[in-house]
Amino acid sequence: MEPQVSSRMKKILLIINSIFLAVGICGAPLIIRLYFIKGGKRIWLSCWLQTVAWPINFIPLAISYLYRCKNNNNNNNNSSKLILMTPQIFMATIGIGILQGFTNYSYAYGIAELPVSTSGLLCSTQLAFTAFFAFIIVRLKFTSYSVNSVFLLTIGAVILALHSGGDQPEGESKKLYILGFIMTLAAAALTGLIFPLVELIYKKAQQAITYTFVLEFQIVYCFVATLFSTIGMIINNDFQVII
């Protein structure tokens, strides 16, 4: 049984995860774009780097497991499971990982062809896609705030599309710029699809959604996404370039 986490610890974990998320969201597109500006051309490599750090999750997962073991020993309970995820959830998580792999590739391709400002605005439209798919998949109820946010971001993307040639990088063809535009929107749409699907999996899971369970979920789907990118790198001979 998963030990109860205090309200204070929940807030601490929430703050830590929010900081990591903010740093990743702000820093990742800048680093990836810098790689392409400096002459990098390996899109599969950029895709691979987005989830390759998944083994780091084993650290908090191990701490959580030891904490559960200690708690159960104190309560004379020897029912600690090494893995909380059920086979059904495991298979569903693999599907999410494959979708994440496609998302990572689309995102990396878009970053390679578009300025950070443009790609950032296009990626922000994932809120609109998330709201749409959430309404279809998990029956999300809209509020005035969510509708207003979706409307403004959608209008921003439309205006940007109408003036898409204004920030086209020098020396880049119109065809590649438009393709990068489409791929970035595809990444936003896939991201908007993944979030409601994850929530659906959590709702259908016949078990408590604990911090340990979420870590296991992240490890599996990030591993699958990394494996997806690794196969692409092998086919594209990217490892030979690295070596």
Side-chain angles (χ1 to χ4, degrees):
M1 180 178 177
E2 184 84 1
Q4 293 295 322
V5 180
S6 65
S7 177
R8 180 181 179 184
M9 181 57 67
K10 288 181 179 179
K11 291 180 180 179
I12 293 175
L13 292 174
L14 178 62
I15 292 173
I16 292 175
N17 282 275
S18 298
I19 292 174
F20 285 156
L21 183 63
V23 172
I25 290 178
C26 295
L30 296 176
I31 295 175
I32 295 175
R33 182 57 184 169
L34 181 63
Y35 164 75
F36 289 112
I37 290 177
K38 296 297 183 180
K41 299 184 181 298
R42 299 288 168 172
I43 295 177
W44 279 111
L45 174 61
S46 299
C47 174
W48 184 72
L49 291 174
Q50 293 180 51
T51 52
V52 73
W54 63 268
I56 294 178
N57 282 331
F58 279 118
I59 298 176
L61 185 62
I63 295 174
S64 175
Y65 176 73
L66 294 175
Y67 182 62
R68 283 189 290 125
C69 288
K70 180 181 178 181
N71 181 270
N72 288 333
N73 289 335
N74 292 336
N75 296 328
N76 296 321
N77 185 356
N78 296 321
S79 62
S80 293
K81 294 182 179 180
L82 180 61
I83 300 175
L84 300 182
M85 183 178 293
T86 63
Q88 294 81 1
I89 298 298
F90 178 78
M91 296 304 298
T93 308
I94 291 177
I96 295 295
I98 295 174
L99 283 177
Q100 187 64 54
F102 282 108
T103 302
N104 291 345
Y105 181 82
S106 299
Y107 181 71
Y109 193 100
I111 288 287
E113 305 298 341
L114 300 177
V116 175
S117 57
T118 304
S119 61
L121 179 57
L122 291 177
C123 286
S124 67
T125 60
Q126 67 181 252
L127 176 61
F129 290 110
T130 300
F132 172 76
F133 288 119
F135 176 76
I136 299 296
I137 298 174
V138 294
R139 303 302 179 185
L140 173 71
K141 293 182 179 180
F142 287 103
T143 66
S144 58
Y145 298 104
S146 60
V147 171
N148 185 52
S149 299
V150 170
F151 175 77
L152 291 176
L153 287 172
T154 304
I155 291 298
V158 171
I159 293 175
L160 185 61
L162 294 176
H163 300 277
S164 59
D167 60 351
Q168 182 175 340
E170 184 177 354
E172 182 180 73
S173 67
K174 183 71 173 181
K175 180 180 179 180
L176 287 177
Y177 182 85
I178 294 176
L179 185 57
F181 198 98
I182 294 173
M183 292 293 282
T184 305
L185 277 180
L190 286 172
T191 302
L193 174 62
I194 288 174
F195 289 155
L197 287 178
V198 171
E199 183 175 350
L200 180 64
I201 291 174
Y202 286 169
K203 284 186 174 182
K204 296 294 184 180
Q206 298 179 349
Q207 61 185 99
I209 307 302
T210 62
Y211 187 71
T212 301
F213 173 81
V214 173
L215 283 174
E216 291 178 355
F217 186 90
Q218 290 179 346
I219 287 175
V220 173
Y221 96 80
C222 287
F223 168 76
V224 173
T226 304
L227 181 61
F228 177 91
S229 303
T230 302
I231 295 174
M233 290 182 67
I234 293 174
I235 297 175
N236 203 42
N237 295 324
D238 283 3
F239 284 107
Q240 295 181 9
V241 175
I242 296 176
I243 297 174

